[in-house]
Amino acid sequence: MDDECYPKTLYVGNLSREVTEILILQLFTQIGPCKSCKMITEHTSNDPYCFVEFFEHRDAASALASMNGRKILGKEVKVNWATTPSCQKKDTSNHFHVFVGDLSPEISTEDIKSAFAPFGKISDARVVKDMATGKSKGYGFVSFYNKLVRFRCNNSD
């Protein structure tokens, strides 16, 4: 198994304001060695959250299974995978990108792929989702291998 192709970073959300990086590392290193912990607290209206990176996928998977739903300082935490492994990501930096906004909440990545397929070969498409809730943020991106040719719609009454 090529461990680089499997995620190693977890999102840990719904944290109490008293939780620290040190506490998270103490709890999660009991499951397996952690490479890092990054606490995000600057959003004053939202609960803090953090990202815990493990050295090994199997330890991250064990932590996900054992820590999701556990109470830390009186709050039930939410633990999910935080990232797509780098070997599964497509390098679209030289491709042509389109921002797609004002999407209805029920629009999926497959929906925007289908809608934009007639305009060229798509290299990547995604609806952006809130990491905590999994719900659409109402926008997304479509990447094309080639630059789109401008087209004009003529409406006649």
Side-chain angles (χ1 to χ4, degrees):
M1 171 172 93
D2 181 7
D3 200 46
E4 292 304 312
C5 284
Y6 294 91
K8 298 176 192 170
T9 305
L10 299 175
Y11 161 85
V12 183
N14 197 42
L15 295 172
S16 163
R17 294 207 173 272
E18 289 77 41
V19 170
T20 63
E21 287 181 2
I22 293 168
L23 176 60
I24 292 293
L25 283 171
Q26 287 173 339
L27 294 170
F28 280 76
T29 54
Q30 292 176 23
I31 298 163
C34 296
K35 187 173 183 179
S36 67
C37 176
K38 173 67 176 159
M39 184 74 64
I40 311 297
T41 58
E42 65 257 7
H43 304 292
T44 56
S45 62
N46 295 329
D47 290 326
Y49 58 94
C50 69
F51 297 97
V52 178
E53 183 179 6
F54 286 84
F55 287 99
E56 302 288 335
H57 167 74
R58 68 176 176 266
D59 294 330
S62 295
L64 172 63
S66 63
M67 296 301 287
N68 188 37
R70 286 243 175 128
K71 284 192 176 183
I72 299 176
L73 296 182
K75 290 192 77 172
E76 189 174 301
V77 299
K78 296 176 184 172
V79 181
N80 293 305
W81 292 112
T83 60
T84 300
S86 58
C87 69
Q88 293 177 5
K89 290 182 182 175
K90 298 173 188 169
D91 179 11
T92 61
S93 58
N94 292 325
H95 297 189
F96 301 89
H97 310 286
V98 176
F99 170 81
V100 184
D102 200 23
L103 295 175
S104 177
E106 62 271 2
I107 298 295
S108 70
T109 293
E110 287 305 314
D111 292 332
I112 64 171
K113 277 184 185 177
S114 297
F116 282 85
F119 302 106
K121 188 173 179 187
I122 295 172
S123 59
D124 191 28
R126 63 185 153 86
V127 171
V128 177
K129 296 184 178 186
D130 182 280
M131 286 193 335
T133 65
K135 294 182 182 177
S136 170
K137 287 188 170 187
Y139 66 92
F141 298 92
V142 180
S143 300
F144 293 89
Y145 287 103
N146 300 308
K147 189 172 184 177
L148 295 176
V149 177
R150 288 186 181 214
F151 63 95
R152 181 177 296 177
C153 293
N154 291 322
N155 292 334
S156 53
D157 295 336

